[in-house]
Amino acid sequence: MPRDHKTPLIQKIAQQAHLTFKGLTSSANGDNALAEDQQGELVSLVTAVRAVDLKIAPRKTQPSSGAAGLQSPPVTYMHICETEAFSMGVFLLKTGASIPLHDHPGMNGMLKVLYGKLSLRCFDRLEDNLTAGDVLPHFEPPLAPFQTPSLRRAMLRSVAEYSEDSGPCLLTPLRENLHQIDTVEGPAAFLDILAPPYNPDDGRDCHYYKALQTVAEGGLDGESEEVKQGEETWLLEIPQPEDFWCGGEPYPGPAVSF
Ligand SMILES: [Fe+2]
């Protein structure tokens, strides 16, 4: 087949994402996972995308506080397109900004850095829910009893840095479905594809979490343990953190159509 040099790369990505994801049902029970080979073509297109393909220029290094006490959002979102099958847009993070640990219930996703460098901590949600007889570890700081119903078991699956030369970071309903995204050094931006899109009416709302630290059994007083890759840990579901909010701005790149 002759190579198509006229169609913008983002249009090809949108068409391939639609093809890849349109067969998924919209349930939040883990049935939405794609086989890896179904994603192959989409992964190779997404791996090739750069900021210039979307007419996005790397921003100057600037903290998120604006002048005269006015706060500008630490993170902004450029909406590109949304169908029933998937949504696609770009998140821009200012220097020092983070997207707190959050989930994507029943969803697949692809995150590709366009400029800057991001550190991603990805967790698997473990399904074994808390039962009355469970003995909880000692958390640091300690939890209040009313917080116990908000505890979730999880496993730290991966911790890695991504730059524009990295391939995309993938998530599925069961694997690496929760992640925390932190800028490393300067500002950063990434292309985000979610399938199916968030939809609170269909059980796909975004929840925020805090990774808890535990005190080792027999360990020194107050000495808390960082969870390591591959280890199980506890997350506490929390309201959206006050220092995180997301503004919107127009997407300047080639229009996408179906
Ligand atoms: Fe996310």
Side-chain angles (χ1 to χ4, degrees), residues 8 38 42 47 54 71 98 105-106 111 127-128 162 171 190-191 219 231 235 249:
Q38 290 175 283
L42 183 57
T47 299
L54 310 182
Q71 294 265 311
S98 293
L111 183 164
E127 287 309 316
D128 49 336
Y162 291 79
L171 65 89
F190 65 90
L191 179 70
E231 282 184 355
L235 306 179
E249 60 181 293

Side-chain angles (χ1 to χ4, degrees), residues 121-181:
R121 288 168 70 81
C122 303
F123 293 83
D124 295 354
R125 169 89 185 264
L126 301 178
E127 287 309 316
D128 49 336
N129 283 329
L130 209 56
T131 55
D134 283 342
V135 178
L136 293 172
H138 295 286
F139 295 111
E140 185 57 43
L143 287 189
F146 75 87
Q147 293 176 304
T148 310
S150 304
L151 278 175
R152 309 281 180 262
R153 287 200 69 78
M155 184 180 76
L156 180 59
R157 174 68 78 169
S158 66
V159 181
E161 287 188 355
Y162 291 79
S163 66
E164 65 171 343
D165 295 325
S166 312
C169 178
L170 308 184
L171 65 89
T172 76
L174 298 176
R175 195 180 163 101
E176 301 188 80
N177 190 266
L178 298 91
H179 57 207
Q180 176 177 335
I181 302 169

Side-chain angles (χ1 to χ4, degrees), residues 91 99-100 102-104 111 171 177 179 181 190 192 194 198 206:
F91 282 94
I99 300 180
H102 62 280
D103 62 1
H104 315 77
L111 183 164
L171 65 89
N177 190 266
H179 57 207
I181 302 169
F190 65 90
D192 196 46
L194 292 175
Y198 279 120
C206 183

